[in-house]
Amino acid sequence: MPQITNLRLLLLSSASHHHPLLRRKTLSFSSSFPVLPQLRKPIRSTEFPLLFTTYSSYSKKPCIKNSSNKNSRSFNRKKSLLRDTEEKRDNSSNKGGSLSMEETTCNANNTGESIGFNRKRAEGRDASDRPKKNLQLKVRKLNPANTISYVQILGTGMDTQDTSPSVLLFFDKQRFIFNAGEGLQRFCTEHKIKLSKIDHIFLSRVCSETAGGLPGLLLTLAGIGDEGVSVNVWGPSDLKYLVDAMKSFIPNAAMVHTRSFGPMNDSNGAAISMFRKFDDPLVLIDDEVVKISAIVLRPSHSEVNDPETGLDETKPANLSVIYICELPEIKGKFDPKKAASLGLRPGPKYRELQLGNPVESDRQDIMVHPSDVLGPSVPGPIVLLIDCPTPLHLQQLLSVQSLTPYYADTAGNVPEGSKMVNCIIHLSPASVTNTADYQSWMSRFGAAQHIMAGHQMKNVEVPILKASARIAARLNYLCPNFFPAPGFWSLQHLKCLPSGLKDLAPGVGETVSAENLLKFHFRPYANLGLDKSSIPDLTSRSVIIDELLSEIPEIAEKSQQLNQLWSGNIETNGEKTYMQANRVMTEEPWLPDSALPDCLEDVTRDDMEIVFLGTGSSQPSKYRNVSSIFINLFSKGSLLLDCGEGTLGQLKRRFGVEGADEAVRSLRCIWISHIHADHHTGLARILALRSSLLKGVPHEPLIVVGPRQLKRYLDAYQRLEDLDMQFLDCRHTTEASLEAFDSNEDDAKFQKEKSGNSIHPEDERVDSNLFARGSRMQSYWKRPGSPTENAAALPILKSLKNVLVEAGVETLISFPVVHCPQAFGVALKASNRINGVGKTIPGWKIVYSGDTRPCPELVKASSGATVLIHEATFEDSLVDEAIARNHSTTKEAMEVGDSSGVYRVILTHFSQRYPKIPVFDDETHMHKMCIAFDLMSVNLADLPLVPRVLPCLKIMFKDEMVIDESEDVDFVTAAA
């Protein structure tokens, strides 16, 4: 009798004893596979005490090790850094690492093997096990006599125009960042900007465009070192809405020290003193190093709240800020001869005078003042950051009287008593800055240097994330069908692009378009002015490909072979493509012939396409963004599965600036797997953009399906800006719930529930044995929704059903998985179609695992799927870490696909310790799998060719399939 995996044994055992749904379904398994080794020794960890429990998905019985069991064998894995460190730690201490018998159980079957998972993490009880961090603000010793000071453009969003650029104000001992849009931490990682030095973050507006990267940034800061790093966050209006929105997934809100200013709202959201003057400068910081003031701009009152042209002034997102940064004056040169004549001896008193403090003479009975020994002072440099987002804000900007001291006279000179502005950074969009009124206002600042940072078109073609752009260009050369060229214009057309700067009004000082990492120096004073030395060089695609061919000459032949698979088959159906695939590259013996799924018969290229927008885990890296999958249904719309930070930017890179806007307009539904930040913090930006794009156009609110905690985040965020969405709990889209709602559309059940006699249908249908009896997770699944919740969900479910039908999708079914509380996977089933001869062709089926350990619900949902998109966070040797964090290894993911009879498996959600390609040595499953990369696009018609790409990828990255141990850090649990 051939051996089968422990996962299959688990399923067969559970099907016959526990699961009535599985008992009625026959699962077909392929022939012999090696037995997955039993976990012989759990990791011991003081960092994760009592976490590494090997829980069965079904049984409570203790696992009894039987040395005589022939099917049980040892497994020598490569030690990870984590395991090695923790084992050393346990050798010196018996505390924190031991697992009690009550916490260690596993499924006992005739092989003695089990599928383990971290029960405490799955139930949300692991927070107390993590070390408590004291996230207090650090007090830095300031250095008034800074040797280096400058402002620098951090070009987030400059190429994709999806978010506001950030600006870094740099001092020797302090760092200030203005705006934290999506992609900021990924940008800082690539350009080696140390986030741990950031003390203050200033928002020019409180909205997703300027603050979308804040949640991920704060999680990263909280995970730095033993104590974490906390920062001040400043912004107009009440920031509590932003903080409240993040509390559902940021574990410690104390890491955010909010500093609000300007108009406030009461507890009901009503405006307080909205018409009081707030255009007087509000001093936020005033120390020896810098004085930072703010002037709040509101949209003009004349058209406020007009649904077509006005803005809702009560929304914090519609308030913008002018920031004024003033450095202290530069003291004049110290004259030692004058000091000596006044009776001073060389020594510490010289220093005190240079710092501006008077001292007593050593030889004379007098006080010596700094003006006695210092030459004329030089006024301190001043920089302004202007965010004037709309013409309605411009009307107020033109009337702000508090800026008068910074204006020059008509001749461009600085009047006596006024202050000279050295640099103005304009975050305002070109639609505002190109107006005559705005440019006339710019001319009031005389010879100030103007830097236009508001989405200049000339920056669209220049990749900000050069490392990932380089990988994308190489992959595009290898297989342009799976890795299309980015949706931007080619570099050859860069010189033809408009600069975004129109003919300037007379009197406007020197004006330049912002470029990535452009600097304006303040100190040393001799370097005052622009510095372009840090701006990255442009690298053309041809140079990147030449480097690739020089490093890996054989890749040219592989590229030619892959391209032959598609040549002449662009308009053919999937079967012909598959047949040609068997005529090319036949040297791979692990690619057996297999039947083409019925759903691929007569398939066209405009049926469905899977676009991977993010394939990394935990936090963005140089090469991989966090989780997001775009299901392109072409003329029928699109769906989004998970929406990590930077999702909109990735859409822009894949489809171009205008193409991404159309993709957002066409969204039918967004589905979120769980509440961890790397899966949903890009959601608000997508929703806000869609609301803006469809303003004035008849449309329905977008349906967002997600775990219950996500609603709290979205509800709080909607106080900031309009998201125009409807929320639906994933529990209402489980198979049992959908059947109940379909059979009770007459509302009879809801009437019964209102009388207090309801039992949720999923109580009996959802697998209550997925977690241990009496556990928090089981009680969650046993908990019925309130009558109010169910009644509110019914119309949204009806809307969802109608939306899916219009998109050609028959069902969207969520199912519970084993990761954290309220974690789900999803199965999408397309409607059947009729081909040209009247034959009914079954629809495709896509299953997305979300984050999970292998579990029966996932296997059941994946049965017969066309594509299984499965997380594979860890390599096979790190199965202990996979259990600790409730993730899967590559082998485990493939075994789920085998057990479910899946046609193709695409692996994603790789740990950031694998910078470019994950470790994958098992060729047993290569006949049906592929590894996902960012911006990889898999058309339904090309599924037969998916396995052909993997060996070519292994050749391309043959020298890079190693673990980047520098990335093996302790990420904050809420982002994992």
Side-chain angles (χ1 to χ4, degrees):
M1 178 178 178
Q3 292 178 330
I4 58 178
T5 65
N6 60 330
L7 176 58
R8 294 171 190 151
L9 286 170
L10 171 63
L11 290 169
L12 291 176
S13 174
S14 64
S16 59
H17 296 290
H18 294 283
H19 205 302
L21 294 178
L22 290 180
R23 190 162 58 236
R24 292 194 295 266
K25 181 173 290 187
T26 302
L27 298 179
S28 60
F29 303 119
S30 52
S31 58
S32 69
F33 284 82
V35 177
L36 185 66
Q38 182 179 353
L39 301 180
R40 294 178 61 86
K41 179 181 180 182
I43 301 178
R44 295 182 175 181
S45 172
T46 58
E47 181 179 358
F48 298 104
L50 303 182
L51 287 187
F52 299 83
T53 53
T54 53
Y55 264 82
S56 160
S57 296
Y58 287 98
S59 177
K60 291 180 57 181
K61 299 177 181 179
C63 178
I64 302 174
K65 295 181 181 180
N66 185 352
S67 58
S68 63
N69 191 327
K70 296 180 180 180
N71 289 324
S72 178
R73 54 179 183 171
S74 63
F75 187 54
N76 296 322
R77 303 183 187 91
K78 182 183 75 173
K79 275 192 177 181
S80 69
L81 288 181
L82 175 63
R83 184 198 292 182
D84 187 55
T85 301
E86 300 303 339
E87 285 182 350
K88 290 179 181 178
R89 190 178 299 170
D90 281 339
N91 287 336
S92 59
S93 174
N94 292 325
K95 297 181 180 180
S98 301
L99 297 173
S100 66
M101 178 61 69
E102 289 77 18
E103 289 290 341
T104 308
T105 62
C106 62
N107 182 70
N109 54 37
N110 62 340
T111 66
E113 300 177 17
S114 67
I115 290 293
F117 71 94
N118 177 350
R119 175 183 175 185
K120 296 183 72 174
R121 182 173 173 86
E123 296 176 358
R125 297 188 293 116
D126 59 333
S128 61
D129 296 319
R130 294 191 296 267
K132 303 297 183 185
K133 293 190 175 184
N134 182 22
L135 297 176
Q136 299 297 318
L137 288 171
K138 292 186 177 180
V139 178
R140 302 186 190 276
K141 184 178 180 180
L142 302 181
N143 178 16
N146 287 283
T147 56
I148 299 177
S149 178
Y150 56 82
V151 287
Q152 185 173 30
I153 303 296
L154 307 183
T156 54
M158 290 180 66
D159 55 344
T160 54
Q161 301 193 4
D162 64 305
T163 190
S164 172
S166 297
V167 178
L168 171 68
L169 176 58
F170 179 97
F171 296 96
D172 283 352
K173 301 294 184 181
Q174 281 186 302
R175 312 284 192 275
F176 304 89
I177 279 186
F178 295 85
N179 288 343
E182 291 186 27
L184 176 59
Q185 63 169 329
R186 189 180 187 191
F187 177 92
C188 292
T189 298
E190 171 142 345
H191 295 285
K192 295 180 171 58
I193 296 173
K194 292 185 177 180
L195 295 173
S196 60
K197 299 292 185 181
I198 304 301
D199 293 316
H200 299 270
I201 298 173
F202 297 88
L203 303 178
S204 64
R205 282 174 286 135
V206 185
C207 61
S208 59
E209 185 179 359
T210 59
L214 197 56
L217 180 64
L218 294 174
L219 283 168
T220 299
L221 292 174
I224 293 176
D226 295 330
E227 297 182 358
V229 177
S230 187
V231 297
N232 285 297
V233 179
W234 301 80
S237 190
D238 195 342
L239 288 176
K240 79 180 186 67
Y241 300 129
L242 182 63
V243 175
D244 286 347
M246 295 187 295
K247 281 182 179 177
S248 59
F249 57 90
I250 292 184
N252 186 357
M255 71 181 69
V256 187
H257 298 269
T258 58
R259 305 286 188 264
S260 302
F261 55 87
M264 301 297 172
N265 290 352
D266 63 19
S267 59
N268 298 319
I272 299 177
S273 302
M274 290 305 295
F275 295 100
R276 171 190 157 195
K277 285 181 67 65
F278 282 97
D279 56 2
D280 294 332
L282 305 169
V283 178
L284 309 180
I285 292 177
D286 191 359
D287 56 31
E288 306 98 310
V289 171
V290 66
K291 176 183 177 182
I292 299 179
S293 307
I295 299 175
V296 178
L297 293 180
R298 297 164 299 172
S300 63
H301 304 306
S302 60
E303 301 179 34
V304 163
N305 300 330
D306 186 313
E308 295 297 326
T309 60
L311 297 172
D312 183 356
E313 187 184 348
T314 65
K315 288 285 188 181
N318 293 330
L319 298 172
S320 66
V321 182
I322 299 171
Y323 285 108
I324 305 170
C325 305
E326 303 176 72
L327 276 67
E329 66 179 8
I330 301 173
K331 304 296 183 181
K333 187 175 180 180
F334 182 81
D335 190 338
K337 292 183 178 179
K338 287 186 178 181
S341 68
L342 294 172
L344 285 175
R345 299 188 183 95
K349 292 183 179 181
Y350 279 19
R351 174 66 175 170
E352 289 298 314
L353 288 167
Q354 290 175 332
L355 292 177
N357 302 318
V359 298
E360 186 177 352
S361 173
D362 296 316
R363 296 187 177 95
Q364 303 177 28
D365 189 19
I366 61 173
M367 290 296 294
V368 180
H369 296 275
S371 58
D372 298 331
V373 295
L374 297 177
S377 298
V378 178
I382 298 176
V383 59
L384 271 60
L385 288 90
I386 311 294
D387 189 352
C388 182
T390 72
L392 296 179
H393 293 82
L394 176 57
Q395 294 179 34
Q396 193 200 5
L397 175 63
L398 299 177
S399 63
V400 173
Q401 296 299 314
S402 54
L403 287 174
T404 302
Y406 301 93
Y407 292 151
D409 59 23
T410 54
N413 301 317
V414 180
E416 186 176 353
S418 295
K419 303 177 181 180
M420 183 179 71
V421 177
N422 301 90
C423 177
I424 303 177
I425 299 174
H426 299 267
L427 302 174
S428 313
S431 60
V432 173
T433 60
N434 286 336
T435 63
D437 286 343
Y438 194 92
Q439 293 190 11
S440 176
W441 175 80
M442 290 170 61
S443 67
R444 298 184 189 181
F445 294 95
Q449 172 71 64
H450 297 273
I451 301 176
M452 314 306 291
H455 292 173
Q456 301 296 310
M457 289 299 294
K458 72 182 295 290
N459 292 317
V460 168
E461 178 48 33
V462 184
I464 298 301
L465 303 174
K466 294 189 66 176
S468 62
R470 181 172 176 270
I471 292 292
R474 289 185 165 212
L475 291 170
N476 173 251
Y477 171 80
L478 175 66
C479 186
N481 296 88
F482 278 165
F483 306 102
F488 298 125
W489 298 304
S490 64
L491 285 172
Q492 289 81 353
H493 297 99
L494 179 58
K495 296 180 180 179
C496 303
L497 290 174
S499 67
L501 298 177
K502 305 295 183 182
D503 294 335
L504 299 176
V508 177
E510 182 182 354
T511 304
V512 298
S513 289
E515 296 183 72
N516 186 28
L517 301 183
L518 173 69
K519 291 180 180 179
F520 188 95
H521 279 282
F522 299 133
R523 299 198 175 143
Y525 187 74
N527 296 337
L528 183 70
L530 289 174
D531 177 8
K532 298 186 177 183
S533 61
S534 299
I535 297 175
D537 296 329
L538 293 177
T539 304
S540 67
R541 181 182 184 275
S542 60
V543 172
I544 295 174
I545 301 309
D546 289 344
E547 292 176 352
L548 172 63
L549 295 176
S550 174
E551 296 171 10
I552 313 172
E554 62 268 32
I555 206 68
E557 179 183 358
K558 294 299 180 182
S559 174
Q560 183 180 9
Q561 290 177 345
L562 287 175
N563 290 331
Q564 289 178 16
L565 301 180
W566 278 273
S567 60
N569 287 278
I570 297 302
E571 300 299 330
T572 63
N573 60 43
E575 185 174 0
K576 293 182 179 178
T577 305
Y578 172 78
M579 291 173 62
Q580 179 160 342
N582 283 337
R583 295 197 298 268
V584 182
M585 300 176 67
T586 56
E587 66 273 15
E588 289 88 351
W590 43 264
L591 284 173
D593 291 336
S594 59
L596 200 68
D598 292 339
C599 66
L600 297 186
E601 183 177 341
D602 296 330
V603 68
T604 62
R605 301 194 68 82
D606 59 358
D607 280 350
M608 186 273 291
E609 181 182 53
I610 304 171
V611 181
F612 292 88
L613 301 176
T615 57
S617 69
S618 195
Q619 67 177 10
S621 71
K622 287 173 63 175
Y623 304 105
R624 294 182 184 271
N625 201 47
V626 287
S627 297
S628 185
I629 302 168
F630 182 75
I631 307 298
N632 188 2
L633 303 174
F634 298 94
S635 62
K636 296 180 180 179
S638 57
L639 307 172
L640 199 56
L641 309 181
D642 277 338
C643 189
E645 177 186 338
T647 291
L648 179 58
Q650 294 291 84
L651 279 172
K652 302 267 186 178
R653 294 181 180 95
R654 171 61 181 86
F655 296 107
V657 173
E658 294 181 355
D661 286 349
E662 182 56 37
V664 171
R665 284 191 196 95
S666 71
L667 278 171
R668 301 285 189 168
C669 172
I670 299 179
W671 182 90
I672 304 297
S673 61
H674 62 290
I675 199 62
H676 286 168
D678 56 327
H679 291 259
H680 73 83
T681 50
L683 182 57
R685 185 74 190 102
I686 292 285
L687 293 173
L689 176 62
R690 180 182 180 272
S691 177
S692 175
L693 292 172
L694 295 177
K695 193 171 186 178
V697 178
H699 67 281
E700 295 294 328
L702 186 63
I703 298 175
V704 176
V705 182
R708 178 183 293 180
Q709 310 105 308
L710 184 63
K711 187 177 188 298
R712 175 185 173 188
Y713 168 65
L714 296 174
D715 286 346
Y717 209 101
Q718 287 198 105
R719 305 285 291 274
L720 299 175
E721 56 185 331
D722 293 326
L723 299 183
D724 192 21
M725 65 89 195
Q726 292 180 304
F727 181 80
L728 190 61
D729 193 329
C730 279
R731 292 194 305 164
H732 290 132
T733 61
T734 61
E735 184 176 15
S737 290
L738 291 174
E739 290 179 0
F741 282 120
D742 287 342
S743 62
N744 291 280
E745 287 192 359
D746 58 359
D747 292 337
K749 182 180 186 320
F750 291 97
Q751 294 300 325
K752 184 179 179 181
E753 286 185 335
K754 289 179 181 179
S755 66
N757 297 320
S758 65
I759 297 178
H760 222 256
E762 63 225 62
D763 291 350
E764 298 180 8
R765 296 286 302 277
V766 172
D767 178 24
S768 60
N769 289 307
L770 185 60
F771 299 94
R773 185 173 302 167
S775 71
R776 293 188 181 188
M777 284 302 293
Q778 189 195 44
S779 65
Y780 172 79
W781 286 110
K782 288 287 187 182
R783 182 192 312 150
S786 69
T788 302
E789 287 180 349
N790 291 337
L794 182 59
I796 304 177
L797 274 170
K798 291 180 179 179
S799 297
L800 176 62
K801 184 176 181 179
N802 293 335
V803 163
L804 293 176
V805 169
E806 293 174 1
V809 177
E810 183 179 284
T811 57
L812 181 155
I813 299 177
S814 303
F815 53 89
V817 294
V818 181
H819 180 59
C820 67
Q822 302 183 55
F824 294 87
V826 67
L828 300 171
K829 175 71 168 60
S831 304
N832 295 342
R833 53 191 171 86
I834 308 297
N835 66 5
V837 297
K839 180 181 177 181
T840 299
I841 307 297
W844 47 261
K845 179 180 178 181
I846 296 176
V847 176
Y848 171 46
S849 70
D851 286 7
T852 185
R853 290 289 297 147
C855 63
E857 285 291 325
L858 174 58
V859 176
K860 171 181 174 288
S862 303
S863 178
T866 315
V867 181
L868 169 61
I869 303 170
H870 201 299
E871 73 119 293
T873 309
F874 295 101
E875 61 180 295
D876 297 338
S877 64
L878 301 182
V879 65
D880 295 322
E881 281 87 334
I883 292 174
R885 303 183 187 185
N886 280 344
H887 286 296
S888 300
T889 66
T890 53
K891 184 176 183 180
E892 288 174 333
M894 290 308 306
E895 288 180 338
V896 171
D898 286 344
S899 302
S900 307
V902 170
Y903 177 59
R904 291 291 182 255
V905 179
I906 303 178
L907 303 182
T908 186
H909 195 267
F910 303 110
S911 169
Q912 303 296 12
R913 72 182 69 193
Y914 313 114
K916 296 180 182 178
I917 189 169
V919 176
F920 188 85
D921 298 322
D922 184 6
E923 295 190 356
T924 306
H925 304 96
M926 290 177 65
H927 64 287
K928 63 162 62 178
M929 70 161 289
C930 192
I931 293 171
F933 286 82
D934 282 16
L935 307 185
M936 176 177 172
S937 303
V938 180
N939 194 285
L940 181 64
D942 296 334
L943 283 178
L945 306 178
V946 163
R948 307 283 176 172
V949 179
L950 184 57
C952 302
L953 293 174
K954 296 185 73 171
I955 291 175
M956 175 175 284
F957 296 101
K958 61 182 180 181
D959 297 326
E960 302 180 66
M961 292 184 65
V962 295
I963 296 178
D964 183 0
E965 298 288 9
S966 66
E967 298 291 339
D968 189 14
V969 298
D970 175 25
F971 298 116
V972 177
T973 302

